[in-house]
Amino acid sequence: MNALLSLYDRATDPLDRETVILPTLARFLFAAVLLVYFWHAAGTKTGDGLFGLLQPSMGAYAQIFPRQMEAAGFDTSQLGLWHWLVVVSGTLAEFVLPALVVLGLATRLAALAMIGFIAVQSLTDLYGHGGIEHAETLGAWFDRFPDGAILDQRALWVFLLLTLVLKGAGPLSLDRLLATRLRNAP
C-alpha cells in the first residue's frame, strides 16, 4: 500500500506546483460563461447615444432599485442624485470589471470587486425583486437540483472569481506582462 501511495504522490506532485493552468482556465471560463452575460446586462441599463452611460435607462433604475421605482410610479425624476450615482457606477462596473478579469489586469482587485457585485446583485434579486419568496430562485444546497439561481449558480461564479483572487491572473495576462516590464525597466 505504501508503494501505491508513494507512486500516487510522485505522479500528482507536479500539480501542487502548477501555476499556469488554473488561473488561465478560470479567466477563460469567466469569459466563456459570464462576460457576455454581464456586458449584456450593462447594455440594458444605458441610455441612447454616446453619453448613454450617464443617462441610464428607466430599466436600469427598475433593475437596481425596484421598490423605489415602484413607489415613485416608475418616474426616474422622483429619484435623487444618490440613485443616479449608484446606477451609473453599477453599470460602469458591469462593463469594466469583467473586462479587467478577462484581460488579466488588476485581476485580484477586479475579481474581488466582482464578488462584491455578485453579492449585491443577489441581494437585490432576492429582496428587491422578491426572489426570496420563490424557493426555485434561491435554490438549496445539497439537493438534487443544480440550477438554483442564487445558491447554486452564483456560488460557482464566486468560486471561479475567488480562484483569481487567490491565484492571480496567471502567466497569460496583462498583470504578468506589466510586472515583467516593470522588473526589467532601467
Side-chain angles (χ1 to χ4, degrees):
M1 187 66 171
N2 284 341
L4 186 59
L5 289 174
S6 180
L7 176 64
Y8 175 79
D9 285 342
R10 280 194 311 274
T12 60
D13 194 43
L15 295 174
D16 289 337
R17 293 185 298 275
E18 182 286 315
T19 60
V20 176
I21 296 171
L22 190 61
T24 304
L25 185 58
R27 287 184 26 250
F28 173 79
L29 287 174
F30 180 87
V33 176
L34 295 171
L35 178 67
V36 175
Y37 165 80
F38 282 112
W39 279 0
H40 175 62
T44 66
K45 294 176 179 82
T46 61
D48 295 327
L50 182 62
F51 297 104
L53 181 66
L54 300 176
Q55 300 171 347
S57 67
M58 185 190 69
Y61 289 96
Q63 288 176 47
I64 297 172
F65 294 109
R67 294 181 189 243
Q68 290 90 338
M69 279 295 288
E70 187 176 351
F74 295 94
D75 178 8
T76 57
S77 68
Q78 299 297 315
L79 300 178
L81 178 62
W82 166 251
H83 296 94
W84 179 83
L85 284 171
V86 169
V87 169
V88 169
S89 61
T91 303
L92 185 62
E94 227 168 356
F95 278 121
V96 173
L97 293 174
L100 291 174
V101 168
V102 171
L103 293 171
L105 182 60
T107 308
R108 285 187 160 109
L109 184 60
L112 189 61
M114 282 298 308
I115 290 170
F117 187 94
I118 291 168
V120 171
Q121 174 189 22
S122 299
L123 291 170
T124 300
D125 288 345
L126 289 173
Y127 296 102
H129 293 287
I132 195 75
E133 298 164 10
H134 302 91
E136 64 277 1
T137 301
L138 178 61
W141 285 344
F142 308 107
D143 63 0
R144 62 186 178 99
F145 304 107
D147 60 349
I150 307 299
L151 287 179
D152 294 332
Q153 292 176 8
R154 295 193 185 159
L156 290 172
W157 297 2
V158 167
F159 181 76
L160 183 68
L161 290 162
L162 191 56
T163 300
L164 295 171
V165 170
L166 297 174
K167 294 284 191 181
L172 302 174
S173 66
L174 290 177
D175 284 345
R176 183 68 56 93
L177 179 67
L178 292 172
T180 303
R181 287 211 172 174
L182 288 174
R183 247 185 273 123
N184 295 333

